[in-house]
């Protein structure tokens, strides 16, 4: 059992997800090491569109975290990547 509502998978197949939905699903699947989710999201849009969506998601996430922490986006990005302070 997947925990999804009956018909949820069919609904998702009927509707074409946009690149931002694909990017969000792809990133979450990567974070969870969910190969099936990764492959599903990667099939929704072109590789170029997925790359753009993931990049846009990363930018928005870094900016949001920087605002919440009252730090610069550069500091937050370096911290998330485990890089030493600049």
């Amino acid at each position: 059992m997947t925990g999804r509502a009956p018909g949820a998978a069919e609904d998702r197949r009927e509707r074409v997800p946009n690149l931002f939905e694909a990017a969000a699903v792809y990133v979450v699947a990567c974070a969870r090491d969910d190969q099936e989710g990764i492959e599903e999201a990667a099939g929704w849009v072109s590789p170029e569109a997925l790359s753009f969506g993931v990049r846009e998601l990363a930018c928005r996430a870094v900016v949001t975290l920087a605002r919440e922490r009252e730090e610069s986006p550069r500091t937050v990005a370096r911290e998330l990547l485990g890089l030493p302070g600049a």
Side-chain angles (χ1 to χ4, degrees):
M1 179 167 199
T2 63
R4 292 184 181 148
E10 291 80 25
D11 290 344
R12 218 175 350 169
R13 277 188 239 125
E14 291 173 12
R15 172 177 88 67
V16 177
N18 69 36
L19 69 100
F20 295 115
E21 290 173 308
V25 170
Y26 182 85
V27 168
V28 170
C30 287
R32 293 182 174 167
D33 198 25
D34 172 9
Q35 190 61 40
E36 185 177 314
I38 291 168
E39 291 170 8
E40 180 180 9
W44 291 346
V45 295
S46 71
E48 295 81 11
L50 183 61
S51 177
F52 173 80
V54 169
R55 186 175 58 245
E56 186 66 21
L57 177 60
C59 290
R60 291 179 187 194
V62 167
V63 167
T64 299
L65 282 171
R67 285 182 187 143
E68 288 177 0
R69 297 177 181 184
E70 297 182 359
E71 296 178 339
S72 74
R74 181 178 182 175
T75 299
V76 171
R78 294 182 67 80
E79 182 181 311
L80 288 171
L81 291 170
L83 299 172

